[in-house]
Structures are given as C-alpha cells and as structure tokens.
Amino acid sequence: MAASVSCCRRLSIGAQGKELLAAVDSFLFDCDGVMWDGARAIGGAAEVVSALKARGKRVYFVSNNCTRSREMYLRKFEALGFQVQRDEVFGTAHCCALYLRDTAGLRGKVYVLGSEGLCSELRSAGISVLGGVREEDEGLAVSECVLDSEVRAVLVGYDENFSFVRLAKACGYLKNPDCLFLATDPDPWHPLTGGTVVPGLKPLNPSTEEGEHFTSRITCTARPGTGSLTAAVEVASNRKAEVIGKPSRFMFDCIACNSGGLDPARALMVGDRLETDILFGVNCGMQTVLTLTGVSSLREAQANMASDRPSQRKMVPNFYVDSVADFLPLLKD
C-alpha cells in the first residue's frame, strides 16, 4: 500500500484491513480523542493496544498535550486499564526536553509559559526552568519586571495563567536574537465540555421598567490552545517559533532515535485531528487513519480531499474509522 495515496476510505474488516495490518509494523496513536475522552477510555482502545502487542506490533503514543510529563501519562494509562511502557510514550513535554538538551545543547535557563507537567519534564532532563506555574513577577508593572541574564530559550506551552506580564517577559527575552523560541505544539484550540456562569439581566418588568440581576449557565465548547498563545508571542516579539509537536516530524525522529529505528513505510499514524495528526503522518511518510471520536469530522476530511489547495489536500487520511475499536475484528485469530 502506498502511503502517498490518500483517498479517505472507511477501513474495512476484510482483505483491505488485513492487508494494511500485515503491511504495518509500528502503530503511532494520538491520545486525547483517540485513546480516551477526558477521564473516560474510548471503548475497546485498551484491548486494541494489547492485541497489537500480542501480534508483535510496536505501539507508540504521540501526543501534543504538553501538560503531562511521561510519568503523568503512565499513571493515566494505568488508571484507564492500558498496559503501556514508559519508552512507548512521547508527549511534547518530553520531546521539548530532548530538543533543548540534545539537539540545541542548551547552556542556560529556559523561560516557560506552561504547566507543571511541562516544567517537571524539563527539570528531569537537567534543564533549569523559570516561569511555569509560578511567575514571581505576576501583579507587577511590566517596568518593574527583572529579566534573568541566564535565560537562553523561551518555550510556549499550554498556559492557563497566561498574562500580560508573562507575554512581556517572553518578548523581553526574545529581543536577544540568540535566545531560542520554541512552542510545544500548534493546536489553536481544544474541545471542552461543561460550562461557565455569567451575569445577566432578566427582562424588564413592564410595570416597573426595572431589570433584576440573575445568573445563567452557558456551555463553552472550546478553550484556547498553545497555538493561540504562541501567536500572541510571535506578533509581540516579531519572532517565529519553532514547533516541536505534530505536525513537525521531530517527534517521529525522537521515536526513531529511541527505539532502534522506525521505518515510515511500515508505520501507521492514528489520530483525530487532520491538521496535526494526519498532516504529521503525511509529513513523515506514514499511512494514516482518522478516528471520528475526537476533533475532526469526516466532512472536513472530504472537504480537504476536494480542495484545490495543495495544503488542504495534504490533510487527508488514507482511511477513517468510527473509533479505534474498529481495529478489533482485524486482530481476532
């Protein structure tokens, strides 16, 4: 099967699916929206992983979620019933640490806009971290903020505490052209379940012409992602970040270097997001499968396939499935 042919076909449980299974040695899975949905495992996902390993297939997990360290991923996998080893997990926090330590050879500190999971992974690699969840200058005027002369890199991740002070400090460091500028991933937004309470007014009482305060619940369907925060820093600093996560192929290189090699012609990327997971697979020369349990829809994939724009046509999977559980019939003896 040629990885270059993307025609977005449903993966069958017949000869087509068996041919694909025989042609693939390594399976790369995204996590959020593929293995689990929030705190709930996708039905059949753990069984698929176990069945693939029982057949001698190599399985890796490649996630753009930078809020979790490798250890945090392992705890979640275990809690949801997956049998996963540490060296099978490649999140952007871990890959950023590898990039700064091994590829860039960082000699100095990194200023982080991001979570404790990201910072702990960097510290585990021997990297000195500033910022993160504890911003010492938060609440100060920008003119009162002091920059550390030892900072040699700025790393933007998912940061729920993103603020004007943090933006200003990042830009201050990036005025130095020798300061590296990295982003964990380009995801512009993430799906969100739940809601938020906002103030409002009841309709005016016709007799008194007065309004009465009340609260109403509205449902938020998305939250800004790392890509949104990175864009703010890029505009304010007039610099362009180097993205470590999907669709950049650096994460593929991390797996290849730490697993004794990885042949893209015999690898399959399974994900739920066209602009990251599927494009990552295409960029790395892998075959791709879109699972419909997450962000992207079949309609979006078909629209990309019909597009006149080459950039859109690259974001088309070879196959799609309703969920990863659709692999189970192919794995039965």
Side-chain angles (χ1 to χ4, degrees), residues 283-315:
N283 287 343
C284 297
M286 295 183 283
Q287 295 190 79
T288 57
V289 173
L290 175 70
T291 177
L292 302 179
T293 48
V295 172
S296 296
S297 67
L298 178 58
R299 178 177 295 181
E300 290 171 314
Q302 292 170 335
N304 285 347
M305 186 167 58
S307 174
D308 293 331
R309 298 171 59 187
S311 60
Q312 296 297 112
R313 291 180 63 84
K314 285 185 70 176
M315 294 185 286

mmCIF file of all heavy atoms in Angstrom, residues 283-315:
data_model
loop_
_atom_site.group_PDB
_atom_site.id
_atom_site.type_symbol
_atom_site.label_atom_id
_atom_site.label_comp_id
_atom_site.label_asym_id
_atom_site.label_seq_id
_atom_site.Cartn_x
_atom_site.Cartn_y
_atom_site.Cartn_z
ATOM 1 N N ASN A 283 3.639 14.137 6.583
ATOM 2 C CA ASN A 283 4.981 14.742 6.591
ATOM 3 C C ASN A 283 6.083 13.716 6.832
ATOM 4 O O ASN A 283 7.211 13.881 6.359
ATOM 5 C CB ASN A 283 5.060 15.827 7.660
ATOM 6 C CG ASN A 283 4.298 17.085 7.301
ATOM 7 O OD1 ASN A 283 3.959 17.296 6.127
ATOM 8 N ND2 ASN A 283 4.006 17.918 8.281
ATOM 9 N N CYS A 284 5.744 12.658 7.568
ATOM 10 C CA CYS A 284 6.752 11.650 7.908
ATOM 11 C C CYS A 284 6.728 10.448 6.977
ATOM 12 O O CYS A 284 7.527 9.522 7.143
ATOM 13 C CB CYS A 284 6.543 11.188 9.352
ATOM 14 S SG CYS A 284 6.753 12.504 10.565
ATOM 15 N N GLY A 285 5.817 10.447 5.997
ATOM 16 C CA GLY A 285 5.760 9.353 5.035
ATOM 17 C C GLY A 285 5.033 8.119 5.523
ATOM 18 O O GLY A 285 5.240 7.022 4.991
ATOM 19 N N MET A 286 4.168 8.273 6.535
ATOM 20 C CA MET A 286 3.403 7.154 7.065
ATOM 21 C C MET A 286 2.018 7.088 6.430
ATOM 22 O O MET A 286 1.522 8.075 5.894
ATOM 23 C CB MET A 286 3.239 7.291 8.581
ATOM 24 C CG MET A 286 4.517 7.194 9.372
ATOM 25 S SD MET A 286 4.219 7.279 11.163
ATOM 26 C CE MET A 286 3.944 9.052 11.379
ATOM 27 N N GLN A 287 1.381 5.938 6.527
ATOM 28 C CA GLN A 287 -0.032 5.843 6.229
ATOM 29 C C GLN A 287 -0.802 6.392 7.428
ATOM 30 O O GLN A 287 -0.288 6.441 8.549
ATOM 31 C CB GLN A 287 -0.428 4.392 5.944
ATOM 32 C CG GLN A 287 0.235 3.837 4.693
ATOM 33 C CD GLN A 287 -0.367 2.504 4.302
ATOM 34 O OE1 GLN A 287 -1.440 2.439 3.712
ATOM 35 N NE2 GLN A 287 0.335 1.429 4.620
ATOM 36 N N THR A 288 -2.038 6.796 7.188
ATOM 37 C CA THR A 288 -2.783 7.485 8.236
ATOM 38 C C THR A 288 -4.211 6.980 8.336
ATOM 39 O O THR A 288 -4.833 6.606 7.338
ATOM 40 C CB THR A 288 -2.808 9.001 7.975
ATOM 41 O OG1 THR A 288 -3.387 9.250 6.677
ATOM 42 C CG2 THR A 288 -1.420 9.607 8.021
ATOM 43 N N VAL A 289 -4.725 7.026 9.578
ATOM 44 C CA VAL A 289 -6.119 6.685 9.849
ATOM 45 C C VAL A 289 -6.711 7.775 10.734
ATOM 46 O O VAL A 289 -6.144 8.122 11.778
ATOM 47 C CB VAL A 289 -6.255 5.322 10.562
ATOM 48 C CG1 VAL A 289 -7.709 5.075 10.983
ATOM 49 C CG2 VAL A 289 -5.780 4.194 9.661
ATOM 50 N N LEU A 290 -7.838 8.321 10.320
ATOM 51 C CA LEU A 290 -8.579 9.304 11.120
ATOM 52 C C LEU A 290 -9.646 8.573 11.919
ATOM 53 O O LEU A 290 -10.450 7.829 11.359
ATOM 54 C CB LEU A 290 -9.242 10.345 10.217
ATOM 55 C CG LEU A 290 -10.161 11.364 10.926
ATOM 56 C CD1 LEU A 290 -9.331 12.321 11.786
ATOM 57 C CD2 LEU A 290 -10.988 12.146 9.905
ATOM 58 N N THR A 291 -9.646 8.766 13.230
ATOM 59 C CA THR A 291 -10.712 8.223 14.057
ATOM 60 C C THR A 291 -11.690 9.350 14.399
ATOM 61 O O THR A 291 -11.274 10.478 14.687
ATOM 62 C CB THR A 291 -10.166 7.566 15.339
ATOM 63 O OG1 THR A 291 -11.251 7.108 16.135
ATOM 64 C CG2 THR A 291 -9.311 8.519 16.144
ATOM 65 N N LEU A 292 -12.971 9.050 14.333
ATOM 66 C CA LEU A 292 -14.015 10.079 14.439
ATOM 67 C C LEU A 292 -14.519 10.276 15.867
ATOM 68 O O LEU A 292 -15.634 10.747 16.075
ATOM 69 C CB LEU A 292 -15.172 9.720 13.504
ATOM 70 C CG LEU A 292 -14.788 9.578 12.026
ATOM 71 C CD1 LEU A 292 -16.000 9.188 11.182
ATOM 72 C CD2 LEU A 292 -14.161 10.862 11.494
ATOM 73 N N THR A 293 -13.676 9.953 16.849
ATOM 74 C CA THR A 293 -14.069 10.122 18.246
ATOM 75 C C THR A 293 -13.519 11.409 18.855
ATOM 76 O O THR A 293 -13.650 11.620 20.068
ATOM 77 C CB THR A 293 -13.562 8.930 19.079
ATOM 78 O OG1 THR A 293 -12.175 8.693 18.779
ATOM 79 C CG2 THR A 293 -14.366 7.681 18.785
ATOM 80 N N GLY A 294 -12.906 12.252 18.027
ATOM 81 C CA GLY A 294 -12.279 13.453 18.568
ATOM 82 C C GLY A 294 -12.662 14.722 17.844
ATOM 83 O O GLY A 294 -13.836 15.010 17.630
ATOM 84 N N VAL A 295 -11.660 15.480 17.399
ATOM 85 C CA VAL A 295 -11.863 16.846 16.907
ATOM 86 C C VAL A 295 -12.402 16.899 15.477
ATOM 87 O O VAL A 295 -13.422 17.536 15.210
ATOM 88 C CB VAL A 295 -10.540 17.643 17.005
ATOM 89 C CG1 VAL A 295 -10.677 18.999 16.324
ATOM 90 C CG2 VAL A 295 -10.135 17.813 18.462
ATOM 91 N N SER A 296 -11.719 16.269 14.533
ATOM 92 C CA SER A 296 -12.058 16.430 13.114
ATOM 93 C C SER A 296 -13.173 15.484 12.682
ATOM 94 O O SER A 296 -13.334 14.390 13.219
ATOM 95 C CB SER A 296 -10.821 16.202 12.237
ATOM 96 O OG SER A 296 -9.823 17.176 12.494
ATOM 97 N N SER A 297 -13.919 15.924 11.680
ATOM 98 C CA SER A 297 -15.049 15.153 11.176
ATOM 99 C C SER A 297 -14.735 14.583 9.794
ATOM 100 O O SER A 297 -13.820 15.043 9.096
ATOM 101 C CB SER A 297 -16.297 16.034 11.077
ATOM 102 O OG SER A 297 -16.125 17.021 10.070
ATOM 103 N N LEU A 298 -15.521 13.602 9.394
ATOM 104 C CA LEU A 298 -15.377 13.028 8.064
ATOM 105 C C LEU A 298 -15.675 14.079 7.004
ATOM 106 O O LEU A 298 -15.010 14.123 5.960
ATOM 107 C CB LEU A 298 -16.328 11.838 7.912
ATOM 108 C CG LEU A 298 -16.345 11.150 6.538
ATOM 109 C CD1 LEU A 298 -14.961 10.641 6.164
ATOM 110 C CD2 LEU A 298 -17.365 10.016 6.544
ATOM 111 N N ARG A 299 -16.633 14.941 7.263
ATOM 112 C CA ARG A 299 -16.971 16.005 6.307
ATOM 113 C C ARG A 299 -15.770 16.914 6.063
ATOM 114 O O ARG A 299 -15.503 17.309 4.920
ATOM 115 C CB ARG A 299 -18.154 16.824 6.829
ATOM 116 C CG ARG A 299 -18.550 17.970 5.922
ATOM 117 C CD ARG A 299 -19.782 18.696 6.452
ATOM 118 N NE ARG A 299 -20.953 17.823 6.448
ATOM 119 C CZ ARG A 299 -22.168 18.217 6.841
ATOM 120 N NH1 ARG A 299 -22.352 19.448 7.288
ATOM 121 N NH2 ARG A 299 -23.177 17.373 6.801
ATOM 122 N N GLU A 300 -15.021 17.233 7.117
ATOM 123 C CA GLU A 300 -13.837 18.079 6.951
ATOM 124 C C GLU A 300 -12.764 17.368 6.121
ATOM 125 O O GLU A 300 -12.110 17.992 5.282
ATOM 126 C CB GLU A 300 -13.275 18.453 8.326
ATOM 127 C CG GLU A 300 -14.145 19.414 9.109
ATOM 128 C CD GLU A 300 -13.680 19.601 10.538
ATOM 129 O OE1 GLU A 300 -13.380 18.579 11.199
ATOM 130 O OE2 GLU A 300 -13.616 20.760 10.989
ATOM 131 N N ALA A 301 -12.594 16.084 6.363
ATOM 132 C CA ALA A 301 -11.613 15.318 5.588
ATOM 133 C C ALA A 301 -12.003 15.272 4.118
ATOM 134 O O ALA A 301 -11.149 15.430 3.226
ATOM 135 C CB ALA A 301 -11.495 13.902 6.148
ATOM 136 N N GLN A 302 -13.288 15.076 3.842
ATOM 137 C CA GLN A 302 -13.765 15.030 2.455
ATOM 138 C C GLN A 302 -13.642 16.390 1.789
ATOM 139 O O GLN A 302 -13.328 16.481 0.598
ATOM 140 C CB GLN A 302 -15.199 14.530 2.428
ATOM 141 C CG GLN A 302 -15.327 13.064 2.830
ATOM 142 C CD GLN A 302 -16.757 12.624 3.048
ATOM 143 O OE1 GLN A 302 -17.644 13.444 3.355
ATOM 144 N NE2 GLN A 302 -17.019 11.327 2.887
ATOM 145 N N ALA A 303 -13.856 17.468 2.560
ATOM 146 C CA ALA A 303 -13.687 18.818 2.013
ATOM 147 C C ALA A 303 -12.227 19.072 1.655
ATOM 148 O O ALA A 303 -11.919 19.686 0.622
ATOM 149 C CB ALA A 303 -14.174 19.856 3.027
ATOM 150 N N ASN A 304 -11.311 18.595 2.493
ATOM 151 C CA ASN A 304 -9.891 18.725 2.182
ATOM 152 C C ASN A 304 -9.535 17.959 0.909
ATOM 153 O O ASN A 304 -8.759 18.432 0.078
ATOM 154 C CB ASN A 304 -9.045 18.203 3.339
ATOM 155 C CG ASN A 304 -9.013 19.148 4.524
ATOM 156 O OD1 ASN A 304 -9.427 20.302 4.427
ATOM 157 N ND2 ASN A 304 -8.533 18.658 5.655
ATOM 158 N N MET A 305 -10.114 16.799 0.747
ATOM 159 C CA MET A 305 -9.829 15.971 -0.420
ATOM 160 C C MET A 305 -10.316 16.642 -1.703
ATOM 161 O O MET A 305 -9.690 16.527 -2.758
ATOM 162 C CB MET A 305 -10.505 14.601 -0.251
ATOM 163 C CG MET A 305 -10.158 13.597 -1.339
ATOM 164 S SD MET A 305 -10.658 11.909 -0.905
ATOM 165 C CE MET A 305 -12.422 12.125 -0.639
ATOM 166 N N ALA A 306 -11.420 17.388 -1.604
ATOM 167 C CA ALA A 306 -11.986 18.056 -2.778
ATOM 168 C C ALA A 306 -11.388 19.439 -3.021
ATOM 169 O O ALA A 306 -11.683 20.077 -4.039
ATOM 170 C CB ALA A 306 -13.502 18.180 -2.618
ATOM 171 N N SER A 307 -10.538 19.907 -2.112
ATOM 172 C CA SER A 307 -9.995 21.254 -2.205
ATOM 173 C C SER A 307 -9.001 21.396 -3.354
ATOM 174 O O SER A 307 -8.313 20.436 -3.727
ATOM 175 C CB SER A 307 -9.318 21.637 -0.884
ATOM 176 O OG SER A 307 -8.667 22.886 -0.979
ATOM 177 N N ASP A 308 -8.908 22.614 -3.886
ATOM 178 C CA ASP A 308 -7.907 22.917 -4.909
ATOM 179 C C ASP A 308 -6.570 23.322 -4.298
ATOM 180 O O ASP A 308 -5.585 23.484 -5.014
ATOM 181 C CB ASP A 308 -8.413 24.061 -5.805
ATOM 182 C CG ASP A 308 -9.618 23.652 -6.643
ATOM 183 O OD1 ASP A 308 -9.717 22.456 -6.971
ATOM 184 O OD2 ASP A 308 -10.457 24.528 -6.943
ATOM 185 N N ARG A 309 -6.551 23.490 -2.998
ATOM 186 C CA ARG A 309 -5.333 23.949 -2.323
ATOM 187 C C ARG A 309 -4.476 22.755 -1.916
ATOM 188 O O ARG A 309 -4.932 21.873 -1.174
ATOM 189 C CB ARG A 309 -5.696 24.769 -1.084
ATOM 190 C CG ARG A 309 -6.490 26.027 -1.400
ATOM 191 C CD ARG A 309 -7.001 26.686 -0.130
ATOM 192 N NE ARG A 309 -5.916 27.052 0.765
ATOM 193 C CZ ARG A 309 -6.111 27.522 1.997
ATOM 194 N NH1 ARG A 309 -7.355 27.646 2.472
ATOM 195 N NH2 ARG A 309 -5.077 27.844 2.751
ATOM 196 N N PRO A 310 -3.232 22.702 -2.376
ATOM 197 C CA PRO A 310 -2.345 21.585 -2.028
ATOM 198 C C PRO A 310 -2.191 21.402 -0.520
ATOM 199 O O PRO A 310 -2.092 20.268 -0.036
ATOM 200 C CB PRO A 310 -1.013 21.962 -2.681
ATOM 201 C CG PRO A 310 -1.408 22.854 -3.829
ATOM 202 C CD PRO A 310 -2.590 23.632 -3.333
ATOM 203 N N SER A 311 -2.177 22.516 0.225
ATOM 204 C CA SER A 311 -2.007 22.415 1.677
ATOM 205 C C SER A 311 -3.181 21.694 2.323
ATOM 206 O O SER A 311 -3.009 20.968 3.309
ATOM 207 C CB SER A 311 -1.845 23.808 2.293
ATOM 208 O OG SER A 311 -2.991 24.614 2.025
ATOM 209 N N GLN A 312 -4.383 21.881 1.785
ATOM 210 C CA GLN A 312 -5.558 21.198 2.316
ATOM 211 C C GLN A 312 -5.560 19.730 1.918
ATOM 212 O O GLN A 312 -5.926 18.860 2.713
ATOM 213 C CB GLN A 312 -6.839 21.868 1.815
ATOM 214 C CG GLN A 312 -7.045 23.300 2.278
ATOM 215 C CD GLN A 312 -7.193 23.405 3.787
ATOM 216 O OE1 GLN A 312 -6.331 23.949 4.474
ATOM 217 N NE2 GLN A 312 -8.274 22.863 4.305
ATOM 218 N N ARG A 313 -5.139 19.453 0.717
ATOM 219 C CA ARG A 313 -5.156 18.074 0.223
ATOM 220 C C ARG A 313 -4.139 17.190 0.953
ATOM 221 O O ARG A 313 -4.257 15.963 0.927
ATOM 222 C CB ARG A 313 -4.902 18.054 -1.280
ATOM 223 C CG ARG A 313 -6.061 18.640 -2.101
ATOM 224 C CD ARG A 313 -5.771 18.601 -3.597
ATOM 225 N NE ARG A 313 -5.619 17.227 -4.068
ATOM 226 C CZ ARG A 313 -6.634 16.436 -4.417
ATOM 227 N NH1 ARG A 313 -7.886 16.889 -4.327
ATOM 228 N NH2 ARG A 313 -6.415 15.214 -4.853
ATOM 229 N N LYS A 314 -3.150 17.813 1.601
ATOM 230 C CA LYS A 314 -2.209 17.032 2.397
ATOM 231 C C LYS A 314 -2.859 16.507 3.681
ATOM 232 O O LYS A 314 -2.391 15.528 4.260
ATOM 233 C CB LYS A 314 -0.986 17.877 2.775
ATOM 234 C CG LYS A 314 -0.008 18.122 1.640
ATOM 235 C CD LYS A 314 1.211 18.862 2.134
ATOM 236 C CE LYS A 314 2.083 17.988 3.022
ATOM 237 N NZ LYS A 314 3.337 18.668 3.434
ATOM 238 N N MET A 315 -3.942 17.170 4.106
ATOM 239 C CA MET A 315 -4.596 16.787 5.357
ATOM 240 C C MET A 315 -5.772 15.849 5.094
ATOM 241 O O MET A 315 -6.904 16.093 5.499
ATOM 242 C CB MET A 315 -5.041 18.039 6.115
ATOM 243 C CG MET A 315 -3.882 18.899 6.586
ATOM 244 S SD MET A 315 -4.355 20.312 7.595
ATOM 245 C CE MET A 315 -5.044 21.409 6.334
#
